[in-house]
Amino acid sequence: MFESFNNIPKVTKNLILVNLIMFLATLINQEFMTRTFALFYPTSAFFRFWQPLTHMFMHGNFWHIFFNMYTLFIFGSVLERILGPKRFVIFYFVCGFGAAALHLGVQFIQAQVLLGKIAEGSQIAMQQYVAIKSIPTVGASGAIYGLLIGYAMLFPQSRLTLIFPPISLSAKAWVLIFAGIELFTGITGTAEGIAHFAHLGGMLFGFILIWLWRKKGGFYNQYYY
């Protein structure tokens, strides 16, 4: 078991370790960890400048961190070996920050619409505006979705099978399906409690970065097919 863990590329392994440490700390003192390290809307009294970084290492429950770390292990290991540790670090955090940027950008648009309704006297809009400022965002999912699209761009025809349902499709097909689901649920407001636009932000910035690296030519052209 420990030998297998030691075989994980160093950046991927350290990212997993930091996430696990942060999760254990959250189990010990959830209120402090969430208030301090989760991502709050910038005008919230709880917002701190480091939260766009630290929220990537926060998770809400066991299954949240389990699936994120499992995906990081599977796809992060592959991408780190292809990109190299330095480029992989850049890729991971660009996707994570990109996820936070799009998520906050959508929240800003929503807040402006709500402020207009509040000016007209809407109490429902006031409640929704307070929720935007008070509900934190946690998780590595934005960066993880970036890893998924990065893998799909490098290995588009690679066959992937979900745990449930056990359906096999190409990596390219799965990414398109995931992106479509996130866009639909984000726009319609279904599946509340999930930062759909953060997932899309991670995918968008991951796509842009791989596209830019490909355009410049270099290390990974031989893997692109």
Side-chain angles (χ1 to χ4, degrees):
M1 176 179 176
F2 292 105
E3 182 178 352
S4 298
F5 188 74
N6 288 331
N7 290 331
I8 302 173
K10 63 179 181 180
V11 175
T12 300
K13 178 168 60 179
N14 287 329
L15 287 172
I16 292 174
L17 285 173
V18 174
N19 275 279
L20 291 176
I21 291 170
M22 292 289 281
F23 183 66
L24 290 175
T26 302
L27 293 178
I28 295 171
N29 193 333
Q30 183 174 7
E31 182 180 353
F32 169 79
M33 293 295 293
T34 301
R35 185 178 66 248
T36 307
F37 299 113
L39 177 62
F40 286 88
Y41 190 66
T43 60
S44 169
F46 299 113
F47 177 78
R48 300 292 183 270
F49 70 87
W50 56 78
Q51 291 173 355
L53 170 64
T54 58
H55 88 284
M56 299 183 215
F57 299 98
M58 295 287 293
H59 289 85
N61 55 55
F62 171 79
W63 291 113
H64 189 199
I65 191 171
F66 174 80
F67 284 114
N68 274 348
M69 294 305 99
Y70 178 75
T71 309
L72 173 57
F73 164 68
I74 296 297
F75 296 101
S77 297
V78 175
L79 288 177
E80 184 178 350
R81 290 188 176 103
I82 294 174
L83 302 178
K86 292 183 179 179
R87 284 184 183 267
F88 179 68
V89 166
I90 293 172
F91 184 77
Y92 186 87
F93 284 105
V94 164
C95 292
F97 284 124
L102 186 60
H103 175 68
L104 292 176
V106 171
Q107 282 191 319
F108 173 78
I109 294 173
Q110 293 173 333
Q112 298 311 300
V113 173
L114 291 173
L115 286 172
K117 293 181 179 180
I118 291 171
E120 297 172 356
S122 173
Q123 293 299 314
I124 295 178
M126 174 61 76
Q127 294 173 3
Q128 293 173 335
Y129 181 69
V130 170
I132 287 177
K133 295 182 65 173
S134 60
I135 297 178
T137 300
V138 298
S141 301
I144 298 301
Y145 270 74
L147 298 185
L148 292 177
I149 200 166
Y151 180 88
M153 291 178 74
L154 297 176
F155 303 100
Q157 301 307 319
S158 174
R159 304 295 291 183
L160 300 177
T161 304
L162 294 184
I163 297 176
F164 181 83
I167 299 173
S168 294
L169 292 173
S170 69
K172 181 179 179 180
W174 276 126
V175 164
L176 290 174
I177 291 171
F178 291 154
I181 292 173
E182 293 300 325
L183 182 60
F184 174 79
T185 51
I187 292 175
T188 59
T190 53
E192 293 184 0
I194 300 175
H196 301 291
F197 287 102
H199 298 168
L200 289 171
M203 297 180 80
L204 174 62
F205 278 78
F207 174 85
I208 292 172
L209 191 51
I210 291 292
W211 179 80
L212 288 173
W213 283 341
R214 183 194 181 200
K215 187 176 181 181
K216 291 181 179 179
F219 62 92
Y220 69 91
N221 282 353
Q222 59 184 312
Y223 300 102
Y224 197 96
Y225 60 93

